[in-house]
Amino acid sequence: MHPILLEAGPVTIYSYGVLLAAAYLLGLWMAVRRATQAGFDGNRVLDLGIWVIIAALVGAKGLLFIVDFDHFTSSREEFFSLLRSGGVFYGGLIAASLTCIYQLRKHKLPLWQSGDLFAPGIALGYMVGRLGCLAAGCCYGKPTQVAWAITFTDPAAALNVGTPLNVPLHPTQLYESLAGLVILVAVLGLERRAKAFPGRTFWQFVLLYGISRFIIEFFRGDDRGAVAMFSTSQLISLVLVPLSVVMLVWLARPVPTASAPAPARRRGSF
């Protein structure tokens, strides 16, 4: 692929950075558009989205630093290479969700309805962002001989993120980008069905993402932290998938309506 999009003297523009910016802008555009159609204040949602983007960037880099602590603290050069690395999506999702909850409470916006508005935009951004991973060579797969294997040859990919060169690998970046597309289509399609309830779209997104991420992780070949036989992202998926099911069942439950007070009995009547 092409990790470096453009070099002009001391200025280097990386493909990953351009596609990541496009991913965030597209996701934010979709969220604002959906919010406006739902009757929300588009400017307030835009402000919220900017805070969410900042939190997602910090959270993704933070979790990557934690799971690969030894690598990024081995030298000063490796520490600053964190700026060129993609980050861990789950770290961004968790940090963005916490920031979103705080901002929603601060501005007194409905929690689950707002989550529903953002979820398809997250899926869209994820789909585009993983194409940035493909261009950079990060989040690469294990060696394979499948017909659709991809082989990286650019030395910049090996230098920046340690991508194996001249070795056929599973195109896990494409697997995840395709998963993002499938999730996007699924949550939008399910949203049009009857009996929708606040929070359904958001938790369906979390459920589908958790399942797809858990499966795709088996094909990943990069070092991203592990506990026993599971990667860090798989362990998070093992928590979020059943939590999503519980939340979908709980939010779908019938809300009891307050019964009308019984009329006062007249004195002396039977």
Side-chain angles (χ1 to χ4, degrees):
M1 292 295 108
H2 303 281
I4 297 176
L5 184 63
L6 177 65
E7 283 185 292
V11 177
T12 301
I13 299 177
Y14 291 94
S15 302
Y16 177 82
V18 172
L19 285 167
L20 183 64
Y24 282 122
L25 291 175
L26 282 171
L28 183 57
W29 166 79
M30 176 172 259
V32 172
R33 182 171 179 269
R34 284 167 54 81
T36 303
Q37 291 175 343
F40 285 70
D41 185 342
N43 290 327
R44 180 168 291 185
V45 173
L46 179 62
D47 293 339
L48 172 62
I50 293 173
W51 280 109
V52 167
I53 288 174
I54 295 172
L57 286 169
V58 174
K61 299 287 187 181
L63 186 55
L64 177 62
F65 180 77
I66 292 172
V67 300
D68 210 356
F69 181 82
D70 292 338
H71 172 74
F72 288 114
T73 56
S74 61
S75 67
R76 182 178 179 179
E77 290 75 16
E78 294 299 342
F79 177 79
F80 283 104
S81 72
L82 182 64
L83 298 176
R84 300 192 302 268
S85 302
V88 180
F89 179 79
Y90 265 136
L93 179 62
I94 293 171
S97 297
L98 293 176
T99 301
C100 189
I101 291 172
Y102 170 77
Q103 291 293 327
L104 290 174
R105 289 185 177 275
K106 179 180 177 180
H107 296 290
K108 298 180 180 179
L109 293 172
L111 175 61
W112 297 127
Q113 292 93 327
S114 300
D116 290 339
L117 295 175
F118 272 92
I122 298 173
L124 174 61
Y126 180 76
M127 179 184 69
V128 176
R130 282 305 183 185
L131 296 178
C133 294
L134 179 66
C138 63
C139 308
Y140 53 85
K142 293 179 179 178
T144 182
Q145 295 300 320
V146 297
W148 55 88
I150 188 169
T151 302
F152 293 91
T153 58
D154 195 320
L159 178 64
N160 291 338
V161 292
T163 311
L165 301 182
N166 304 309
V167 179
L169 305 173
H170 274 288
T172 45
Q173 306 95 331
L174 289 178
Y175 296 166
E176 299 200 57
S177 183
L178 180 60
L181 175 60
V182 172
I183 293 171
L184 174 61
V185 173
V187 295
L188 288 177
L190 291 170
E191 195 174 59
R192 296 186 177 93
R193 296 182 61 183
K195 298 182 180 179
F197 52 85
R200 187 178 75 169
T201 300
F202 174 78
W203 285 107
Q204 284 175 340
F205 162 77
V206 176
L207 173 64
L208 294 173
Y209 176 77
I211 294 172
S212 65
R213 184 62 184 268
F214 184 85
I215 295 172
I216 295 172
E217 282 288 301
F218 286 114
F219 300 96
R220 290 274 292 267
D222 55 323
D223 185 13
R224 60 210 180 280
V227 178
M229 64 178 294
F230 298 119
S231 69
T232 303
S233 293
Q234 284 179 316
L235 290 176
I236 298 175
S237 293
L238 288 174
V239 174
L240 289 184
V241 168
L243 175 62
S244 302
V245 174
V246 171
M247 290 302 299
L248 285 169
V249 172
W250 183 68
L251 292 173
R253 75 195 190 284
V255 178
T257 56
S259 57
R265 176 181 295 181
R266 293 181 179 180
R267 183 175 299 177
S269 62
F270 294 94

